[in-house]
Amino acid sequence: MDLIDCHTHTQFSFDSDAPIGDCIKQAEKLGLAAYAITDHCECNWWYPREHYGDDVQSEDFGFGQDFERSVSAVDRIKKEYSGKTRIICGTEMGQGHHAPDIAAKIAADRRLDFIIGSLHQIRDEWDFYYIDCKDFSRDRIYDLLERYFREIYEMCTTVEFDVLAHLTYCLRYMKQRDGIEPDISRFDELIAESFRALIEKGRGIEINTSGIRQGFGDCFPDLKYARLFRDLGGEILSIGSDAHRAEDIGSDIEKGIDIARAAGFRRIAYFIKRTPYFIDID
């Protein structure tokens, strides 16, 4: 069976030092059929620091420059590359609904094969990576979660991308790091509405396997929500490691495929020129 990895980061992401050449060599070594480079592009911090006011919830800015460096490099490498692994020029578009003009600019870039839509940060809050929830009240926890899932719905209905990345990203920090285990089933109908919007627009979701190697113990999202997407009629499913190091490329992809099968999927997808191509997993 052909394996793919459709969510990875290189030296062009603010939180990765992985040389792009090493990443491509690792994808080739693993014999990946398709390998997507999806460096970070946080739309709400597109411009340099001086563009924003005093009250900001970020330590990193200038993602427009990062985007251009990544996409230019991958586009050039694709044209020169002669190996067997299909290299996909992608981006991880964060918070597109916070800056819809930037999201539209990204979506119009014809160099891109693939756009994953991410929500790392809700309005008036820092990225969940920075939010220490250990001493939060129950009401505060569920307020954050409700705002997160409402913004997921907003993002799914207002900006253009191909696949929703790592639904339940917030649990990576709430549950794994801070030891809080909220019941997110109270948001199931809101999640279902987001899935319906994606399906109507011919979009997909991702099974992100990073939680397995990082100690969370499951993917983002887990089987329950992968199955919900399938039961609602979802057909497009990608799988990504969310690797930030060359050695993590391809990690636990087969376990992600096991979840896909258990959810009722018989194929997984990668994208070329924003069009899905399918690989059977039967």
Side-chain angles (χ1 to χ4, degrees), residues 26 54 74 96 116 120 122-123 129 138 203 209 259 273:
Q26 179 69 1
D54 294 334
V74 179
I116 52 178
H120 302 119
I122 58 178
R123 291 183 179 91
Y129 173 85
R138 177 185 175 87
R203 298 174 183 167
T209 66
I259 290 174
K273 296 297 181 185

Side-chain angles (χ1 to χ4, degrees), residues 39-197:
D39 285 310
H40 284 293
C41 183
E42 307 297 275
C43 292
N44 50 332
W45 309 117
W46 176 267
Y47 299 105
R49 172 66 182 85
E50 55 268 22
H51 176 83
Y52 302 97
D54 294 334
D55 186 16
V56 293
Q57 293 85 33
S58 182
E59 294 181 350
D60 301 287
F61 305 89
F63 283 93
Q65 187 177 57
D66 292 348
F67 171 82
E68 183 55 38
R69 287 173 175 168
S70 176
V71 173
S72 293
V74 179
D75 185 56
R76 174 183 54 78
I77 289 168
K78 277 181 59 181
K79 292 172 181 175
E80 300 171 352
Y81 181 73
S82 59
K84 292 183 179 180
T85 296
R86 186 181 291 275
I87 297 176
I88 295 167
C89 183
T91 190
E92 181 175 11
M93 186 177 76
Q95 295 79 244
H97 58 301
H98 291 188
D101 56 330
I102 301 301
K105 182 187 192 73
I106 292 169
D109 194 317
R110 294 189 177 183
R111 296 171 297 177
L112 287 172
D113 291 307
F114 184 45
I115 301 173
I116 52 178
S118 292
L119 181 59
H120 302 119
Q121 176 180 29
I122 58 178
R123 291 183 179 91
D124 302 318
E125 302 285 351
W126 285 74
D127 186 312
F128 280 95
Y129 173 85
Y130 294 103
I131 301 176
D132 184 348
C133 298
K134 294 187 194 70
D135 296 324
F136 283 8
S137 68
R138 177 185 175 87
D139 287 347
R140 174 73 168 122
I141 293 292
Y142 282 108
D143 173 69
L144 280 173
L145 287 169
E146 181 171 358
R147 289 159 61 197
Y148 170 78
F149 287 113
R150 288 195 180 280
E151 287 205 31
I152 287 285
Y153 176 76
E154 181 185 354
M155 189 173 74
C156 290
T157 55
T158 61
V159 294
E160 181 183 340
F161 56 88
D162 301 310
V163 163
L164 175 66
H166 52 47
L167 180 71
T168 66
Y169 165 84
C170 50
L171 297 183
R172 178 185 287 173
Y173 306 108
M174 278 189 178
K175 184 176 178 180
Q176 178 178 343
R177 184 190 61 198
D178 298 340
I180 295 166
E181 297 197 37
D183 176 13
I184 65 170
S185 65
R186 64 170 66 189
F187 305 109
D188 280 0
E189 184 51 37
L190 189 53
I191 293 169
E193 285 300 309
S194 297
F195 286 171
R196 292 185 186 105

Side-chain angles (χ1 to χ4, degrees), residues 245-280:
R245 306 183 306 165
E247 54 265 40
D248 288 333
I249 291 169
S251 291
D252 299 304
I253 294 297
E254 291 182 338
K255 293 179 181 177
I257 289 173
D258 288 342
I259 290 174
R261 287 197 194 99
F265 288 92
R266 294 295 172 260
R267 57 186 190 171
I268 54 177
Y270 63 91
F271 281 71
I272 301 294
K273 296 297 181 185
R274 311 290 306 285
T275 299
Y277 289 77
F278 294 94
I279 295 175
D280 291 337

Side-chain angles (χ1 to χ4, degrees), residues 185-228:
S185 65
R186 64 170 66 189
F187 305 109
D188 280 0
E189 184 51 37
L190 189 53
I191 293 169
E193 285 300 309
S194 297
F195 286 171
R196 292 185 186 105
L198 291 172
I199 293 163
E200 182 180 351
K201 294 174 183 291
R203 298 174 183 167
I205 67 168
E206 163 192 271
I207 290 179
N208 185 301
T209 66
S210 63
I212 297 175
R213 73 174 182 275
Q214 293 173 351
F216 181 81
D218 211 336
C219 293
F220 305 109
D222 61 14
L223 172 59
K224 172 184 173 179
Y225 293 106
R227 180 178 286 143
L228 175 63

